């Protein structure tokens, strides 16, 4: 009963209960992820400016996450509804972040860190130590 | 798709294409069960995303409003270890996805191999995490009120609130208003680079002077005691750990002091007036007469008395150390440039010199230190700092206010993530056991698939945590 | 059996084992076995009906505990100053009343108890998708309940059920124990939500598309979405609170650099959808009750269905309206206030549709219907007063007054609890096999309605005049309102207590219930009373939703289907039963004859066709 690997049309193998990932796709995805990890570490050596650094890092992270979700988690070959479920969770989280940030931005200063004038370094006194 | 009879015999053979015995009664068939399980796990993963979301909210909020804390504090994190963990988790994601493929294709050996590799990678992750955490615990780089780093983010030593850092035993009382220490003892000299302390000097020397007190009667009949020096020795040694705490009686048959012995330690280092010069001495005078109890019943009583004596200190005063000796304390309130008596035979003299002007040396770091030390809050470096130098400068100094919040968020996020990795290990071990029994076939591999999906979410979260926490710049 | 399974499309439609018609019902499965076997049959059951029953017992017990705390609160407030207890104890009373009622009664109430018992049957399924997960949810609920209750002798809880920082960080009461309980209760809710979502997606029988589902199930679906997306945030919030208390991590503590208002954002991100988790199942139930007891299809079915889901989604956008005076920025205040107005729209759509259903209906004033009508009035009041609170300028005055207390009691108790009672009485015959005493039911329903209004209308008045909530002492000018409120509370409490008592008594003494006492048209009324293990002795017939044309009231509390099982009710409005069409004797025949497109597919059951007409009547009993 053991079936051999269907290399020829693995990407569209729907004969079983679900799509079977091909070795090629798995290795390619794994390899890309490791490569992108290297890229993201090396990118820290280059300074694009405080905000762009974050943007670049997050962009790479999102690409990695997309690879994991599409290929390792089979979402590319799965029912659309599963994508809907996952995306709605991300949207709910984004909503949470967005509204809370909108609120707190109104009453807290946003410091854009200026490397030429680093803020003073007060080191607070020891807080009251209770029990 | 052959339909499994709901009450089919639970045969001894598993997975021979006639339908798995693990298909439950209320399902039509294997596909119904698999599809339901798949939808179920995706909904569970959605809730996992929301579970972590609050921590991401906290992260984003704090980073948005206090980027200086993040840019300072992230240097405490070891990028190498973080990168290793990332690579390990990605590899384990690969093996988990491959395990699903093996289960789907009835490749039992491949399945067992992949599951084992996944577990191994997960354990590697946890081990690396253990090393990271234990280092932080050791250096007191912790969350909330326990944030008390012994080193700055640049790796330099710091004299911090409690100074409960490796190699030092200290109790210091602080003036919270002025953020200065007012009384207490230090176990050893810390290289303090707290730039709020004025008049920081660049080098000190400590000498142990052996001599004796001699009484002289002056011409008008007044008796004065003066210390006559017999020999002098520069002190550079450090008090070894075993001198602290209880020890067995020595050859003299007397019990030694219950709290540290005296040993002079000094390092040519930064020291400052009105500050505590941390040192201890050891020697015969440390010994306590057995049962005598001495002038003070306990170290705390000694310290209380000593604090009371603090008022007596002037820049050129002395304090009798013998009052502190029996069962005595680890250090003594010292004003440098003072001479202190210690018992009647040892005296510690500290002499500190002003540092050369930093501009002479071209060392912008020292220059900044000196300027801050001299009370100048604004920093006017001799030359324009490059971004890198500025970062290094920032890293060397003491942490900005509320740096503990970075570590609160760091420990909360990585801790919660680590707990999920641990759960994953248990789940995969359970899967491995079932796989060795041959439960998983092309008809029934749901548990492997669903656990792998969980594992991928765990990996996904780490993919975001790594740059957000470790790669800030 | 093989033939009927071959008819099913593999990916949808449940399989019913070949149980004989005389199979014992789910309550009597282990009759005759030794006591330990019978106990194990309950403790380790995988049957959703038994799990739901256990939930029901737990929830009714928690209702009594929470109600006792409420009566203690109201007794203390009879007079200003100390009446029976000190301030600190009073703080504990209202906190525990809130925490027990919200986490143990109202949030799990309709979904976990009644949803578990009835939803799969109403769906036509043999069980929920994940029966073991269902049992795990129940034990999580029990553990959470035990932890919450254990906190009481260890010092109780006095932070208010909202656990606001920084007081909850400093309170000497065992907040850690209570929050651990809440954490477990949260996961119980999440797993129930996952279970119900998958069941509704995957276990609908052939013939029941999304828009042939009863509205109760739409409501449970919408609730499950919220349970899954919102409750994890509660989980992480109480986890952070517990860790903060235990390890002083500082995330909510301003002295360590944290932000106490952040706690409120985290807390309300869950707790606002939570109130919709409470009310939407109630609305689903009311749709069923109003339709059945007006003998009319529900007006605007699609609108009600869409409004359930849109309410679930909109509920995530308005949490800031609990924080208008907590230091939230003006911008956020305005945004949340505007969004709060929109969230009232789906609820209003439903109320209009229910009232339109009543119009020209053949109204039967049975106890469940009395509760449903109470719901209509009380929910309207509750919903409208919510709008008042959503207006920024008004909320500044009304926040933390008794107006808010009255508002949320109108929606949580006057609506959800009343709907729960209505649902309990509606389905009681189905899952216990006994009728409750109707006269007593009506009296208690009236008592609940009267007592409830007497309790909370004075609270609206004194709240608008400035009486703050959670206060132990107050100005004498409010005393008359407090006294009226307390009297009402006791009337309400007694009515509820008597209700619970007669319900339990009916288990022994009640009339034996027929299969369909109310003439309901949804699938659960086709199941035996009480149902057997897999709910149906033969697969139920899916036909037009909310169509009562063919149901005849044979006698009081006994309805029967006039049309044959395999014929659409609309085809035989007033005629005698016709011989059945030769349907589905052969799988090949069924597939060869495509069903008409307008109606849902005819019988998926396989019956010997020749005996159809005579067997129909017996089959319905």
């Amino acid at each position: 009963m053991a079936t051999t690997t269907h290399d020829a049309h693995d990407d569209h193998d729907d004969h079983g209960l679900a799509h079977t990932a091909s070795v090629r796709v798995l290795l390619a995805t794994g390899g890309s992820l490791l490569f992108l990890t290297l890229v993201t570490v090396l990118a820290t050596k280059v300074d694009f400016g405080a905000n762009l650094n974050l943007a670049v890092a997050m962009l790479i992270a999102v690409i990695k996450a997309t690879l994991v979700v599409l290929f390792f988690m089979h979402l590319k070959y799965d029912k659309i509804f599963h994508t809907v479920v996952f995306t709605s969770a991300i949207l709910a989280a984004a909503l949470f972040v967005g509204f809370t940030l909108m609120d707190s931005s109104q009453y807290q200063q946003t410091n854009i860190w200026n490397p030429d004038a680093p803020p003073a370094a007060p080191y607070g006194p020891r807080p009251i130590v209770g029990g | 798709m052959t339909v499994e009879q709901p009450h089919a015999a639970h045969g001894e053979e598993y997975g021979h294409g006639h339908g798995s015995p693990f298909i439950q009664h209320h399902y039509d068939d294997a596909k119904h069960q698999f599809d339901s399980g798949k939808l179920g796990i995706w909904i569970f993963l959605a809730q996992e995303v929301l579970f972590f979301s609050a921590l991401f909210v906290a992260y984003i909020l704090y980073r948005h409003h206090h980027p200086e804390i993040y840019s300072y504090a992230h240097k405490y994190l070891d990028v190498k270890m973080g990168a290793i963990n990332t690579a390990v988790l990605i590899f384990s994601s690969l093996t988990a996805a491959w395990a699903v493929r093996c289960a789907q294709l009835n490749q039992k050996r491949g399945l067992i191999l992949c599951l084992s590799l996944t577990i191994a990678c997960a354990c590697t992750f946890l081990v690396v995490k253990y090393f990271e955490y234990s280092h932080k615990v050791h250096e007191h780089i912790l969350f909330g009120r326990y944030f008390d780093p012994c080193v700055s983010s640049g790796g330099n030593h710091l004299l911090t609130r409690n100074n409960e850092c490796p190699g030092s035993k200290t109790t210091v009382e602080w003036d919270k208003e002025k953020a200065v220490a007012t009384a207490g003892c230090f176990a050893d000299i810390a290289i303090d680079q707290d730039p709020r302390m004025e008049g920081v000097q660049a080098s000190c020397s400590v000498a142990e002077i052996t001599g004796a007190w001699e009484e002289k009667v002056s011409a008008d009949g007044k008796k004065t005691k003066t210390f006559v020096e017999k020999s002098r020795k520069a002190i550079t040694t450090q008090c070894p750990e075993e001198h602290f705490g209880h020890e067995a009686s020595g050859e003299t048959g007397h019990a030694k002091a219950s709290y540290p012995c005296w040993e002079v330690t000094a390092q040519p280092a930064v020291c400052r007036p009105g500050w505590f010069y941390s040192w201890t001495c050891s020697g015969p005078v440390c010994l306590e007469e057995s049962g005598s109890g001495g002038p003070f019943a306990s170290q705390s009583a000694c310290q209380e008395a000593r604090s009371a004596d603090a008022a007596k200190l002037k820049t050129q005063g002395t304090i009798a150390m013998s009052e502190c000796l029996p069962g005595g304390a680890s250090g003594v309130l010292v004003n440098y440039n003072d001479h202190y008596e210690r018992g009647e035979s040892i005296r510690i003299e500290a002499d500190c010199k002003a540092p050369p002007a930093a501009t002479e040396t071209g060392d912008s770091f020292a220059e900044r230190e000196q300027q801050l030390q001299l009370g100048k809050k604004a920093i006017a470096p001799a030359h324009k700092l490059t971004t890198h130098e500025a970062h290094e400068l920032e890293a060397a100094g003491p942490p900005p206010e509320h740096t503990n919040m970075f570590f609160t968020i760091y420990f909360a996020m990585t801790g919660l993530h680590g707990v999920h990795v641990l759960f994953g290990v248990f789940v995969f071990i359970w899967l491995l056991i079932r796989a060795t029994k041959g439960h998983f076939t092309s008809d029934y591999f749901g548990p492997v698939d669903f656990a792998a999906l969980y594992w991928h979410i765990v990996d996904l979260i780490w993919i975001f945590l790594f740059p957000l926490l470790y790669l800030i710049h | 059996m093989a033939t009927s399974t071959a008819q099913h499309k593999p990916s949808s439609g449940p399989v019913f084992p070949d149980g004989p018609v005389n199979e014992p019902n789910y309550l009597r499965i282990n009759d005759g076995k030794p006591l330990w076997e019978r106990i194990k049959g309950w403790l380790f059951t995988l049957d959703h009906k038994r799990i739901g029953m256990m939930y029901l017992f737990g929830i009714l017990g928690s209702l009594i505990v929470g109600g006792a705390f409420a009566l203690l609160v109201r007794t203390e407030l009879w007079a200003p100053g100390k009446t029976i207890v000190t301030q600190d104890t009073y703080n504990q009373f209202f906190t525990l009343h809130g925490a027990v009622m919200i986490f143990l009664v109202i949030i799990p109430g309709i979904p976990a108890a009644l949803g578990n018992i009835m939803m799969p049957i109403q769906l036509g399924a043999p069980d929920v998708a994940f029966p073991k997960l269902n049992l795990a949810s129940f034990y999580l609920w029990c553990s959470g309940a035990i932890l919450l209750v254990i906190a009481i002798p260890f010092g109780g809880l006095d932070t208010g059920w909202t656990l606001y920082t920084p007081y909850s960080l400093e309170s000497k009461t065992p907040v850690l124990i209570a929050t651990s309980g809440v954490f477990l209760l949260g996961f119980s809710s999440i797993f129930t939500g996952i279970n119900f979502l998958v069941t509704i997606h995957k276990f609908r029988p052939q013939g029941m598309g999304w828009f042939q589902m009863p509205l109760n199930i739409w409501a449970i679906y919408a609730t499950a979405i919220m349970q899954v997306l919102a409750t994890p945030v509660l989980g992480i919030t109480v986890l952070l609170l517990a860790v903060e208390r235990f390890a002083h991590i500082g995330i909510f503590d301003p002295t360590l650099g944290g932000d106490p208002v952040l706690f409120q954002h985290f807390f309300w991100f869950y707790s606002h959808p939570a109130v919709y988790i409470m009310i939407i199942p109630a609305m689903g139930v009311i749709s069923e009750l109003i339709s059945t007891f007006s003998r009319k299809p529900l007006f605007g079915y699609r609108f009600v269905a869409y409004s359930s889901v849109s309410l679930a989604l909109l509920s995530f956008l308005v949490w800031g309206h609990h924080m208008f005076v907590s230091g939230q920025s003006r911008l956020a205040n305005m945004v949340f206030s505007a969004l709060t107005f929109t969230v009232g729209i789906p609820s209003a759509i439903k109320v209009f549709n229910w009232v339109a259903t009543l119009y020209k209906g053949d109204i039967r004033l049975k106890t469940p219907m009395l509760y449903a009508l109470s719901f209509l009035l009380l929910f309207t009041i509750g919903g409208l007063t919510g709008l008042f609170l959503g207006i920024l300028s008004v909320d500044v005055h009304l926040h933390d007054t008794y107006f808010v207390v009255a508002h949320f009691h109108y929606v949580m108790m006057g609506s959800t609890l009343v709907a729960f009672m209505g649902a309990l009485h509606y389905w009681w015959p189905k899952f216990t096999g006994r009728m409750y005493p109707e006269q007593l039911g009506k009296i208690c329903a009236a008592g609940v309605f009267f007592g409830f209004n007497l309790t909370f209308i004075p609270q609206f008045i004194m709240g608008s005049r400035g009486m703050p909530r959670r206060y132990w002492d107050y100005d004498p000018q409010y005393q008359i309102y407090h006294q009226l409120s307390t009297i009402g509370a006791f009337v309400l409490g007694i009515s509820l207590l008597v209700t619970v008592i007669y319900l339990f008594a009916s288990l022994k003494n009640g009339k034996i219930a027929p299969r369909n006492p109310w003439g309901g048209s949804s699938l659960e009324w086709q199941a035996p009373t009480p149902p057997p293990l897999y709910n149906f002795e033969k697969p139920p017939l899916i036909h037009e939703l909310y169509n009562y044309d063919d149901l005849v009231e044979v006698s009081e509390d006994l309805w029967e289907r006039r049309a044959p099982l395999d014929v659409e009710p609309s085809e035989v409005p007033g005629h005698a039963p016709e011989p059945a069409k030769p349907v589905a004797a052969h799988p090949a025949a069924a597939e060869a004859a495509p069903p008409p497109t307008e109606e849902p597919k005819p019988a998926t059951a396989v019956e010997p066709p020749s005996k159809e007409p005579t067997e129909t009547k017996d089959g319905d009993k």
Side-chain angles (χ1 to χ4, degrees), chain B residues 24-207:
Chain B
Q24 295 173 36
H25 289 186
H26 58 293
Y27 285 108
D28 279 356
D29 52 30
K31 185 144 175 58
H32 190 205
Q33 176 164 323
F34 179 77
D35 284 347
S36 302
K38 192 106 187 184
L39 180 59
I41 191 74
W42 270 108
I43 299 175
F44 179 74
L45 296 183
Q47 85 69 42
E48 285 286 291
V49 167
L50 265 300
F51 194 58
F52 275 91
S53 68
L55 292 177
F56 279 97
V57 168
Y59 174 95
I60 291 170
L61 239 56
Y62 282 115
R63 180 156 179 185
H64 189 62
H65 297 301
H66 296 285
E68 76 278 4
I69 292 181
Y70 282 69
S71 71
Y72 179 89
H74 90 275
K75 296 192 188 79
Y76 282 106
L77 302 181
D78 187 348
V79 174
K80 228 172 38 235
M81 284 195 165
I84 291 174
N85 267 349
T86 310
V88 161
L89 265 189
I90 288 176
F91 185 69
S92 73
S93 245
L94 174 64
T95 54
W98 206 319
V100 177
R101 178 190 155 83
C102 293
Q104 285 177 300
L105 299 174
N106 283 315
Q107 294 166 350
K108 182 172 163 186
R109 275 214 316 261
L111 173 63
I112 291 176
L113 175 66
C114 287
L115 289 175
S116 315
L117 280 175
T118 310
I119 295 172
C121 289
C123 293
T124 309
F125 180 92
L126 289 172
V127 163
V128 172
K129 182 121 263 130
Y130 167 76
F131 282 126
E132 282 187 274
Y133 277 15
S134 61
H135 171 256
K136 293 203 175 42
V137 169
H138 196 240
E139 297 290 336
H140 292 268
I141 305 167
L142 291 173
F143 43 78
R145 69 150 81 135
Y146 304 106
F147 178 69
D148 191 24
C150 298
V151 290
S152 73
S153 70
N156 305 297
H157 229 78
L158 276 184
L159 179 68
T160 61
R161 299 168 205 149
N162 301 321
N163 212 26
E164 285 169 6
C165 294
S168 71
K169 287 180 174 46
T170 316
T171 54
V172 177
E173 281 153 43
W174 289 66
D175 178 341
K176 295 183 181 66
E177 295 297 313
K178 303 192 190 107
V180 295
T182 54
C185 298
F186 283 80
D188 60 355
I189 293 172
I191 303 169
D192 189 340
Q193 294 179 340
D194 187 335
R196 294 169 303 156
M197 295 302 123
E198 297 201 336
V200 172
Q201 308 298 304
S203 69
C204 306
S205 62
V206 179

Side-chain angles (χ1 to χ4, degrees), chain B residues 187-191 203-208 233-239 263-271 277-281 348-352:
Chain B
D188 60 355
I189 293 172
I191 303 169
S203 69
C204 306
S205 62
V206 179
E208 177 188 300
K233 184 172 83 172
I235 303 300
T236 53
T237 52
Q238 197 152 29
C239 191
E263 179 171 286
V264 180
T265 64
Q267 292 172 32
V270 187
C271 53
Y277 205 72
S278 56
W279 53 278
T280 61
C281 317
I348 303 299
E349 183 179 274
D351 184 18
C352 299

Side-chain angles (χ1 to χ4, degrees), chain C residues 228-402:
Chain C
V228 163
L229 290 180
T231 318
V233 179
L234 176 75
I236 187 72
T237 307
V238 294
L239 184 65
L240 286 174
L241 183 65
V243 172
E244 168 99 36
R245 258 184 87 87
F246 179 70
H248 305 280
I249 57 173
I251 190 163
F252 301 129
D253 184 356
T255 60
L256 294 172
D259 183 3
V261 178
L262 190 64
F263 177 85
Q264 295 188 23
H265 277 293
F266 286 2
F267 181 82
W268 288 111
F269 185 82
Y270 163 70
S271 298
H272 190 80
V275 311
Y276 291 95
I277 293 175
M278 300 173 204
I279 194 68
I280 289 181
M283 293 170 162
V285 161
I286 296 298
S287 299
E288 299 297 315
L289 296 183
I290 292 205
S291 175
T292 303
F293 290 103
S294 319
R295 316 304 305 154
K296 260 184 83 188
L298 196 84
F299 190 89
Y301 170 90
R302 286 204 181 212
F303 274 93
V304 179
Y306 287 138
S307 72
S308 296
V309 177
S310 61
L311 191 55
L313 300 175
L314 282 173
S315 70
F316 281 93
L317 302 182
V318 297
W319 78 88
H321 67 220
H322 300 270
M323 296 161 60
F324 282 153
V325 295
S326 300
Q328 200 169 239
S329 64
R330 243 189 329 195
L331 175 63
N333 275 355
M334 293 192 292
V335 167
F336 280 121
S337 177
L339 288 168
T340 304
F341 298 150
T342 65
V343 92
I345 296 173
S347 308
I349 290 176
K350 290 193 180 162
V351 173
F352 291 141
N353 281 306
W354 291 322
V355 172
T357 309
L358 288 173
Y359 177 67
K360 285 200 177 167
D362 178 10
I363 297 190
R364 311 298 173 106
L365 288 176
K366 297 282 178 183
T367 306
M369 187 54 161
L370 291 180
Y371 280 113
L373 294 173
S374 306
F375 178 97
L376 280 183
L377 178 65
L378 300 177
F379 177 66
T380 305
I381 296 177
L384 287 175
T385 51
L387 280 178
F388 302 166
L389 292 167
I391 303 173
L392 269 180
S393 46
V394 174
D395 187 70
V396 169
H397 295 280
L398 295 180
H399 180 79
D400 266 351
T401 63
Y402 264 83

